[in-house]
Amino acid sequence: MKKLWVNAGIIGSVSAAFGSILWSQKTDEASPSRTCSTSDSDLASPYELQLVQVLFRHGARTPLKTIPNIMEAQWVPTLLEPPPHTHIDFVVTDLNGGPRPFAPLEEDYRKNVLSGGSFAGQLTTLGMQQLYELGKRLRQRYIEDSPFLSPAFSPAEVYVRSTNIWRTIESAKCLVAGLFQQKQKEILPILTTDAETEILYPNFRGCKLLKILGGPRWAESSALPDIAADLRSIQEALGIAAVAQKVDFILIRDDMVARETHGLPCPPALDTWRNKVEQRAVDMMCYIYNPEKRESLQLCVGPLLHIVLSNIEDKLQRASLEPNRKLLLYSVHDTTLIPCLMAMGIFDMRWPPYAADITLELYKHRQTNEAYVKVSYIGQDQLLPGCSGVYCPLQEFKQVLSAHSLSSDHYQSLCNSTEHLPK
């Protein structure tokens, strides 16, 4: 498999060439929609669309944490007001249709009140609009360009799953509102699960082995020589006491991008650090996820990739309990998309912008009846290493994902394994 992140595990320095482009399209955070390829589900195409799966990041939000002891941005509640056109009737349930599970991560966010009065990690008005626009892009492709989906939302056709965090739940709602222009036959159910069993992001809390193998790498990533040297320099430029504050490039990037996306002031010292902050934040993520180690990515996104493959097989074998289902939406995070892109061999060493999406389309060839999968990232078709074309024969696609896909039982077995515990 071609590895676009080949030097990331060592870090010494990920190519400076990447650094020069990482911030070149920072406006992607504010407007990630790009032109989709021409629809392939019309009769002129030899490929007939069967199923669409979309993994998408939530929209713009308030920062998770702010850079301490610097110019404060005012995150006022008016930044969070929902646009009227994003309204749609919805209900949040567990995976079986019962009450929404308790959300400890959301509780943690709400303990962190930012300057201005908003909570940390909350979807903003701009973020809601970004997901609405993503929904409109999907509408153009799957409703207007070709009648793949019905023009009004129906749970028989569309499945919506989200992490149990309010910004991803709201993002899913806004996407569906844009996709169906607020037209719905029934209330939109958004399915979630509890924090211990979540598989839509790398679950360091719920998977014991992932915590053992990956947890320490968060701290280690900031101590890598080149990253540590740059961190000391930026802390000095910002006037942050290096010992007293727990600050790293991921935190700095998060606050910086959130501010600039919403037109809020940034410390002037960051002006000359933008590219380096982007580069080092990505370097850290590559070290944390450790893509050179198969087991690392397996534990991060293996169960999610398995679900993606299972959905394809169920559709082809007509084994689904919902035979009319055509679209599966998964509202996730940047920390989901990065390891997914790594596992597919198409991570471009750039942080996924707000509302970024990985879309997987299943096709059948009209003449041969063979199955193909086409993957796009932010509206751009991708040629996966190991695939003979953008339309990837299903067996080749399954081979690409097989190195990292994990069944639920296998995942749980690995998570509970004591093989890697310190002696």
Side-chain angles (χ1 to χ4, degrees):
M1 179 183 290
K2 181 180 178 183
K3 298 173 181 175
L4 300 184
W5 32 256
V6 65
N7 293 322
I10 301 173
I11 296 294
S13 173
V14 178
S15 171
F18 284 123
S20 65
I21 64 170
L22 284 172
W23 196 261
S24 63
Q25 297 192 25
K26 64 178 181 178
T27 53
D28 283 355
E29 292 283 2
S31 54
S33 294
R34 300 178 186 174
T35 304
C36 251
S37 56
T38 304
S39 175
D40 302 285
S41 51
D42 58 74
L43 294 177
S45 170
Y47 302 99
E48 182 180 5
L49 186 59
Q50 303 290 309
L51 182 71
V52 179
Q53 302 181 74
V54 186
L55 315 176
F56 58 94
R57 187 188 177 194
H58 56 76
R61 54 160 169 73
T62 59
L64 302 181
K65 295 181 180 178
T66 56
I67 307 169
N69 300 330
I70 64 167
M71 175 198 310
E72 290 187 337
Q74 296 300 305
W75 295 99
V76 295
T78 52
L79 289 171
L80 313 182
E81 294 177 356
H85 54 270
T86 64
H87 173 75
I88 193 167
D89 292 330
F90 73 102
V91 61
V92 183
T93 74
D94 66 14
L95 297 182
N96 297 312
R100 178 191 176 191
F102 174 66
L105 288 175
E106 190 67 38
E107 292 295 310
D108 289 344
Y109 292 133
R110 292 179 182 273
K111 293 175 184 176
N112 184 7
V113 181
L114 305 174
S115 180
S118 295
F119 299 119
Q122 302 303 298
L123 191 70
T124 62
T125 304
L126 177 58
M128 297 172 199
Q129 183 63 33
Q130 288 173 329
L131 267 298
Y132 182 83
E133 293 297 329
L134 175 57
K136 285 176 63 178
R137 168 155 72 81
L138 298 178
R139 176 181 179 82
Q140 180 71 44
R141 181 165 176 79
Y142 302 118
I143 296 177
E144 295 176 0
D145 288 350
S146 61
F148 180 66
L149 295 174
S150 302
F153 169 76
S154 168
E157 274 193 346
V158 182
Y159 171 90
V160 184
R161 169 91 158 81
S162 172
T163 64
N164 193 19
I165 298 173
W166 197 243
R167 64 178 175 273
T168 51
I169 292 169
E170 284 189 304
S171 291
K173 181 262 293 186
C174 293
L175 185 153
V176 174
L179 174 58
F180 294 103
Q181 297 295 285
Q182 300 179 294
K183 297 175 184 176
Q184 55 188 136
K185 296 178 181 178
E186 301 176 50
I187 293 177
L188 163 66
I190 301 177
L191 279 62
T192 63
T193 192
D194 61 86
E196 289 299 311
T197 60
E198 185 61 84
I199 60 168
L200 294 189
Y201 52 69
N203 196 336
F204 288 86
R205 294 188 183 189
C207 179
K208 181 169 60 177
L209 182 56
L210 182 58
K211 182 177 181 179
I212 292 168
L213 297 180
R217 297 182 73 85
W218 281 90
E220 292 170 7
S221 63
S222 289
L224 295 166
D226 287 354
I227 291 180
D230 284 338
L231 187 57
R232 287 192 296 270
S233 296
I234 195 172
Q235 286 176 323
E236 182 178 344
L238 291 170
I240 302 171
V243 177
Q245 304 292 344
K246 292 183 178 179
V247 176
D248 60 34
F249 280 107
I250 294 175
L251 183 154
I252 294 171
R253 182 198 179 278
D254 187 73
D255 192 7
M256 178 179 72
V257 170
R259 289 171 183 247
E260 296 205 345
T261 299
H262 294 91
L264 297 175
C266 263
L270 282 179
D271 288 345
T272 58
W273 278 91
R274 286 191 183 94
N275 289 348
K276 185 62 71 173
V277 168
E278 285 281 334
Q279 177 189 343
R280 290 310 188 194
V282 171
D283 289 349
M284 287 181 65
M285 292 302 285
C286 288
Y287 182 82
I288 292 163
Y289 288 140
N290 197 15
E292 295 287 352
K293 299 284 188 181
R294 173 184 175 185
E295 190 173 49
S296 177
L297 287 184
Q298 280 185 318
L299 294 173
C300 286
V301 290
L304 177 55
L305 297 179
H306 181 78
I307 286 177
V308 166
L309 289 173
S310 295
N311 291 336
I312 289 172
E313 290 292 348
D314 287 349
K315 188 66 176 180
L316 291 174
Q317 298 172 13
R318 300 183 180 180
S320 171
L321 296 177
E322 296 288 347
N324 295 322
R325 184 152 288 157
K326 296 181 178 181
L327 175 65
L328 298 105
L329 300 171
Y330 296 93
S331 187
V332 296
H333 305 263
D334 47 5
T335 52
T336 312
L337 297 189
I338 291 173
C340 281
L341 293 168
M342 288 176 174
M344 293 181 190
I346 54 174
F347 183 48
D348 60 2
M349 298 300 295
R350 300 178 67 184
W351 201 283
Y354 296 130
D357 70 288
I358 301 173
T359 296
L360 304 99
E361 298 175 329
L362 171 66
Y363 291 91
K364 269 191 177 181
H365 196 282
R366 297 182 191 275
Q367 293 182 331
T368 66
N369 216 34
E370 292 181 73
Y372 293 82
V373 176
K374 186 168 73 167
V375 177
S376 65
Y377 176 52
I378 320 182
Q380 300 298 309
D381 291 346
Q382 303 291 312
L383 176 59
L384 274 59
C387 286
S388 54
V390 170
Y391 287 89
C392 185
L394 179 58
Q395 290 308 312
E396 294 179 4
F397 179 75
K398 289 167 69 174
Q399 185 63 32
V400 170
L401 264 59
S402 65
H404 300 107
S405 173
L406 281 180
S407 69
S408 178
D409 288 345
H410 192 186
Y411 172 71
Q412 290 299 330
S413 176
L414 282 177
C415 283
N416 296 323
S417 171
T418 58
E419 178 182 346
H420 296 272
L421 289 173
K423 302 298 183 184

